[in-house]
Amino acid sequence: MAASDNPFYTALTLILGMDSNLIDIVALSLQVSLSAVLIASALALPVGAALALWRFPGRNGMIVVLNALMGLPPVVAGLCVYLMLSRAGPLGSLGLLFTPSAMVVAQVILVFPIIAALTRQQVEALHHEYDEQLRSLGLTPLGMMPTLLWDARFGLLTVVLAGFGRASAEVGAVMIVGGNIDGVTRVMTTSIVLETSKGDLPLALGLGIILLALVTLINALAHAVSEAAKRRLG
């Protein structure tokens, strides 16, 4: 087989040549996933901390539900968002279905439970360790929240990176609510599925290589943050 006929060679050529179609797909993927993780983090960090610091009726039930939602099937999340945003749905008038915004919403639903549940665990562990000291300073649970979140910042950064890894590798939900429209909602994961079914292996391989590199980078960053935290905090 000639080098030019080898799909791996062609895939590398597309990557190194900065193929415009490939770059557009990667850029949209990063835009959607980063937006989803930022929104999910802004919501999940305080919710997770609140569950760690407050005791109220139904708290244990909420924790169980949150932990269960960490394994929420993406297609179920996509279906729920589709029903909400479809014309017959309660939010159909917004016209968000088959747009990047709908994909962001679906990824937020998937990432939120992961960040919230892991945040609760980290903050609760710190709360047990420093509870007496914080109470001696006269801090209420609300006053403890920013202190404990900041103290857990290294671990929480790893949590956020885990959420980004989940979002960037997602395919089922974004395909349902985004429609995989060329130039509009086509991201790396949905493109790999489509191009493989079409037999366009070079583009699928090129996107797969980039996605694998991105996931590896995320894991490397999470490991580096964890090691830095261990060295700094002992």
Side-chain angles (χ1 to χ4, degrees):
M1 180 184 292
S4 58
D5 296 327
N6 189 313
F8 288 98
Y9 175 84
T10 308
L12 291 175
T13 302
L14 291 174
I15 296 172
L16 297 176
M18 303 290 285
D19 179 76
S20 60
N21 187 32
L22 184 143
I23 295 301
D24 289 343
I25 293 171
V26 173
L28 179 61
S29 300
L30 293 175
Q31 175 188 334
V32 169
S33 295
L34 285 171
S35 299
V37 171
L38 288 174
I39 294 171
S41 298
L43 298 172
L45 290 174
V47 168
L51 282 173
L53 298 175
W54 273 277
R55 299 294 183 268
F56 53 87
R59 174 180 177 272
N60 290 334
M62 290 183 64
I63 292 174
V64 170
V65 171
L66 198 61
N67 289 338
L69 290 176
M70 291 176 67
L72 178 67
V75 290
V76 174
L79 178 60
C80 292
V81 175
Y82 181 92
L83 293 174
M84 286 191 298
L85 299 181
S86 65
R87 289 186 178 182
L91 302 178
S93 60
L94 298 177
L96 295 179
L97 195 61
F98 303 133
T99 67
S101 297
M103 298 160 69
V104 170
V105 172
Q107 290 194 2
V108 167
I109 292 175
L110 290 170
V111 172
F112 174 87
I114 296 173
I115 297 178
L118 296 179
T119 296
R120 181 198 64 80
Q121 294 176 9
Q122 300 242 358
V123 173
E124 192 166 23
L126 285 175
H127 181 229
H128 287 320
E129 185 176 351
Y130 298 118
D131 184 43
E132 292 186 6
Q133 297 176 7
L134 293 172
R135 289 188 183 278
S136 68
L137 296 174
L139 293 177
T140 63
L142 184 61
M144 295 177 189
M145 186 183 294
T147 301
L148 291 174
L149 283 173
W150 175 253
D151 201 44
R153 61 192 181 279
F154 293 108
L156 294 179
L157 181 56
T158 303
V159 168
V160 172
L161 288 172
F164 180 72
R166 170 71 185 268
S168 61
E170 210 304 288
V171 57
V174 295
M175 184 172 285
I176 291 174
V177 302
N180 202 19
I181 303 171
D182 188 21
V184 180
T185 58
R186 187 164 295 171
V187 293
M188 283 189 285
T189 50
T190 59
S191 294
I192 291 171
V193 173
L194 177 66
E195 300 304 329
T196 301
S197 66
K198 288 167 52 180
D200 188 356
L201 294 181
L203 181 56
L205 282 170
L207 291 169
I209 291 170
I210 293 175
L211 184 59
L212 182 60
L214 180 62
V215 172
T216 302
L217 177 61
I218 292 169
N219 280 277
L221 286 173
H223 178 73
V225 169
S226 177
E227 291 300 312
K230 289 178 182 178
R231 287 195 299 269
R232 181 165 181 172
L233 302 177

